[in-house]
Amino acid sequence: MEKTKCLIIGSGPAGYTAAIYASRANIDNVMYEGIQPGGQLTTTTEIENFPGFPTGIEGFDLMENMKQQAERVGSVIRSGVVTAIDLSKRPFVATIDGKDQIEAESVIIATGASAKYLGIDDEKKYSGMGVSACATCDGFFYRKKTVAVVGGGDTACEEASYLSNIAKKVYMIVRKDYLRASQAMQKRVNEKENIEILFNCNTVGLFGENGVEGAHLVRHKGTDHEEMFDIAIDGFFLAIGHRPNTAFLNGQITLDEQGYIELQGKTTATNVEGVFAAGDVADPIYRQAVSAAGMGCHAALDVQQFLMAKGLI
């Protein structure tokens, strides 16, 4: 069985930064990039708030730069998904894509988070036929058409802004009577003439023959002012938050009420000795690329201290 001093599960800013720091500390490490190589940022358009890029940088380009940097300093980066891992004893044993196995003295979990769905049956019915959780992935298909974005936070505003440059009309379906997004993102949305915000609205269904043709909405749900109405749309985009990717851990790591990995004190250590976590999978508060990169740095340094204390490096 293949062996490594540090197994990094997942990529993105946290995973790639951890790989860079681990390699520079001369710690043998192997990364499996996971279901979305490069993480969520690969589906983001221009990033304006990552330090060092005064004119901004595309999310995919930033992640590709980080990957190349990690490989240049010696990290082994592979495509593949860790489908299971045994954390009951060290060395830990991880299973890749349900078949291959690798043994590791330490683990950094950087699996990020995945988009949440509303949970209505029509989301599955129209999956790939008008329903999407990635505007930058699928926006091209809705050129000069009408689309809806569900959500009121930064992600929803960014998706709506992006789509407004492609689509004829963009509805934002917002459950509350206000946007939760930052002032900068709200300003961007409000300045777009083809974005219409539907406040106090919930989606209860979708309809269409061979794909999404519209959405059933309810305004002021559960009140005396409840009102049902439909909007005609060609695409329906989810932007209501994310769920940490921790299912493969099978309950071996302590999670908080929201499902994020709980860290010990001011470190990136989990409740299992030798297992560390970084990025969105362990960050329910900030969830920013730069903070994820910082956590990746911390995790690699924590791994270094752990391996030194155990006499493994």
Side-chain angles (χ1 to χ4, degrees), residues 173-176 198-203 217-219 229:
I173 303 170
V174 182
R175 184 167 52 92
K176 298 180 182 293
L198 303 174
F199 289 110
N200 297 303
C201 288
N202 290 69
T203 307
L217 306 183
V218 56
R219 183 181 279 122
F229 66 102

Side-chain angles (χ1 to χ4, degrees), residues 24-292:
R24 283 179 55 80
N26 204 28
I27 298 170
D28 166 47
N29 66 93
V30 174
M31 171 195 286
Y32 283 93
E33 291 181 298
I35 55 175
Q36 190 175 38
Q40 296 175 62
L41 281 191
T42 57
T43 65
T44 302
T45 51
E46 189 175 15
I47 298 171
E48 300 174 329
N49 57 3
F50 199 93
F53 300 93
T55 59
I57 184 171
E58 294 290 310
F60 179 85
D61 293 338
L62 178 61
M63 290 303 93
E64 187 62 26
N65 288 348
M66 286 191 182
K67 178 179 180 178
Q68 290 179 16
Q69 186 175 356
E71 289 178 323
R72 186 181 67 81
V73 293
S75 294
V76 177
I77 299 177
R78 298 172 180 162
S79 59
V81 177
V82 174
T83 48
I85 188 167
D86 182 0
L87 301 177
S88 62
K89 60 183 183 300
R90 212 178 60 250
F92 308 115
V93 177
T95 302
I96 315 302
D97 296 324
K99 49 183 181 180
D100 300 325
Q101 293 190 318
I102 186 169
E103 203 173 77
E105 295 290 349
S106 64
V107 172
I108 295 174
I109 302 167
T111 46
S114 298
K116 288 182 180 179
Y117 286 78
L118 294 173
I120 58 176
D121 291 339
D122 290 337
E123 288 173 316
K124 294 180 181 177
K125 177 181 177 181
Y126 293 105
S127 178
M129 299 169 62
V131 173
S132 172
C134 178
T136 52
C137 305
D138 302 322
F140 173 80
F141 301 111
Y142 300 94
R143 189 170 298 276
K144 296 184 180 180
K145 295 185 178 182
T146 300
V147 299
V149 174
V150 181
D154 279 348
T155 300
C157 285
E158 181 168 347
E159 301 264 282
S161 296
Y162 174 78
L163 288 166
S164 72
N165 295 322
I166 300 171
K168 176 178 65 177
K169 167 92 173 182
V170 179
Y171 290 104
M172 286 189 70
I173 303 170
V174 182
R175 184 167 52 92
K176 298 180 182 293
D177 61 358
Y178 61 90
L179 292 174
R180 294 181 293 103
S182 64
Q183 289 300 314
M185 292 305 297
Q186 289 189 45
K187 183 173 183 289
R188 188 181 297 183
V189 164
N190 288 326
E191 288 175 349
K192 295 283 189 175
E193 293 183 358
N194 63 336
I195 295 178
E196 180 180 345
I197 306 174
L198 303 174
F199 289 110
N200 297 303
C201 288
N202 290 69
T203 307
V204 292
L206 302 170
F207 61 89
E209 288 297 320
N210 299 310
V212 172
E213 295 176 7
H216 300 301
L217 306 183
V218 56
R219 183 181 279 122
H220 299 298
K221 185 178 181 182
T223 72
D224 294 338
H225 306 292
E226 186 171 294
E227 171 195 0
M228 300 287 295
F229 66 102
D230 293 345
I231 56 172
I233 56 173
D234 304 292
F236 185 76
F237 290 85
L238 282 303
I240 54 173
H242 294 80
R243 180 176 292 104
N245 297 320
T246 56
F248 74 101
L249 296 170
N250 200 27
Q252 297 174 93
I253 295 288
T254 301
L255 310 177
D256 69 11
E257 292 180 355
Q258 297 173 271
Y260 291 88
I261 293 176
E262 281 195 350
L263 302 180
Q264 308 297 303
K266 295 183 178 181
T267 72
T268 61
T270 69
N271 63 301
V272 176
E273 188 182 38
V275 180
F276 305 84
D280 284 12
V281 74
D283 179 12
I285 300 173
Y286 302 107
R287 292 177 294 192
Q288 298 295 307
V290 68
S291 53

